[in-house]
Amino acid sequence: MTASTPSHTAPCAIVTGHTRGLGAALADLLLARGIRVLGLGRGTNEAAGRRHGEALVQATIDLADPAALERWLATDALRSFTGEARCVLLFNNAGTVDPIAPCGTQDAGAIARAVTLNVAAPLMLANAIAAPGAAHPEAERRIVHVSSGAARNAYSGWSIYCATKAALDHHARAVALDAPHGVRISSVAPGVVDTGMQATIRATGIEQFPLRERFEQLKQNGQLATPEAAALQLIDYALSDAFGSTPATDVRELAKA
Ligand SMILES: NC(=O)c1ccc[n+]([C@@H]2O[C@H](COP(=O)([O-])OP(=O)(O)OC[C@H]3O[C@@H](n4cnc5c(N)ncnc54)[C@H](OP(=O)(O)O)[C@@H]3O)[C@@H](O)[C@H]2O)c1
């Protein structure tokens, strides 16, 4: 895959958790379309850096550390990345399914990290990108929260994950009512995707996650989406005229529409 050279007004995208899984696929596919990417992660994606050169900018930040994110947002890194782009996409993708355990047995620190990573960081980034000064005055801003079916269905063992993903859905609904100028938002569940997160789920004890067998069967039966297929659906939706018409949706519903 070779990177094409984006024009200075071409869309650009911010992708959190671009180091692996769905986020790495999002970054690769966006870059292959000539869309510059700013990847925010705890580490860097060396392979993507080699493939795409300067079109991929990487900032190292622990998104479970709200003070670190606040400090980064106070710099001009976001504004200098967005430049003259007339469309800025934000994929709030980084997330964790941990802690997987019934309430009363969860690690307090793990709860705090999950809520910060899954909720505080996406909300802080959405606020930053919607601010008038974050991009060219004529730039449209499109915010994609990467949600989950767990936002809409409750699963035993996933109380923290379910609560955090439901928070993203409800944030998108309320922001859609704010209707900030030039801002569209949607919280989108990507389906069940074959990533490290699914490996974590399959490695969890039945006592912690009684539904583990269902996820083992999905893997065995080849029913997991590839990260590339899920990323393609998210990107096509984010760039479509319909984007934001439904503040909370699912790629499986979009595929039927
Ligand atoms: N896989 C699924 O079936 C599925 C289904 C529904 C929704 N989702 C959602 O899709 C998104 C991506 O999931 P995935 O399956 O690709 O998960 P994954 O394979 O576990 O990857 C998670 C990504 O988030 C990054 N990340 C984790 N903690 C971070 C932190 N503290 N600061 C910065 N980055 C951090 C990881 O970076 P490191 O390399 O630094 O760990 C990695 O790039 C998540 O929001 C998840 O909830 C996934």
Side-chain angles (χ1 to χ4, degrees):
M1 198 183 294
T2 49
S4 49
T5 310
S7 86
H8 67 299
T9 58
C12 65
I14 296 117
V15 179
T16 67
H18 69 298
T19 52
R20 57 195 171 88
L22 183 57
L26 282 167
D28 256 340
L29 291 176
L30 288 162
L31 287 156
R33 289 192 188 190
I35 297 177
R36 293 182 297 118
V37 169
L38 169 59
L40 297 182
R42 284 187 293 195
T44 54
N45 185 331
E46 299 298 327
R50 279 192 296 278
R51 273 196 297 279
H52 303 289
E54 287 179 1
L56 172 63
V57 177
Q58 306 191 61
T60 307
I61 182 161
D62 180 354
L63 294 169
D65 178 350
L69 180 55
E70 208 179 334
R71 278 195 300 278
W72 183 80
L73 288 172
T75 70
D76 68 352
L78 198 54
R79 182 65 191 95
S80 68
F81 171 74
T82 59
E84 298 300 306
R86 296 300 196 268
C87 178
V88 179
L89 307 169
L90 167 62
F91 290 90
N92 275 318
N93 164 78
T96 183
V97 71
D98 291 320
I100 305 179
C103 185
T105 68
Q106 297 153 350
D107 177 76
I111 297 172
R113 281 192 297 279
V115 173
T116 307
L117 175 65
N118 291 4
V119 184
L123 272 49
M124 290 165 77
L125 286 164
N127 178 64
I129 210 69
H136 187 278
E138 286 165 27
E140 188 186 6
R141 298 111 203 264
R142 296 183 173 211
I143 301 164
V144 182
H145 289 327
V146 179
S147 182
S148 167
R152 297 141 208 177
N153 300 300
Y155 295 92
S156 174
W158 280 8
S159 57
I160 304 303
Y161 188 62
C162 291
T164 57
K165 292 298 180 180
L168 292 183
D169 283 11
H170 221 44
H171 175 260
R173 293 185 187 102
V175 172
L177 296 179
D178 289 340
H181 179 70
V183 176
R184 297 197 210 186
I185 187 166
S186 189
S187 188
V188 190
V192 190
V193 192
D194 200 358
T195 65
M197 185 175 284
Q198 284 297 320
T200 300
I201 292 165
R202 291 192 301 274
T204 306
I206 291 281
E207 327 72 59
Q208 272 79 42
F209 186 54
L211 281 181
R212 187 186 75 190
E213 206 176 311
R214 188 197 288 182
F215 286 82
E216 286 170 337
Q217 277 169 5
L218 288 174
K219 173 73 174 171
Q220 279 160 14
N221 299 338
Q223 289 172 296
L224 299 183
T226 63
E228 292 71 25
L232 188 61
Q233 286 176 296
L234 289 175
I235 293 169
D236 282 347
Y237 180 51
L239 293 172
S240 73
D241 289 343
F243 179 74
S245 52
T246 314
T249 188
D250 188 305
V251 293
R252 291 159 288 197
E253 287 164 21
L254 295 171
K256 282 188 232 148

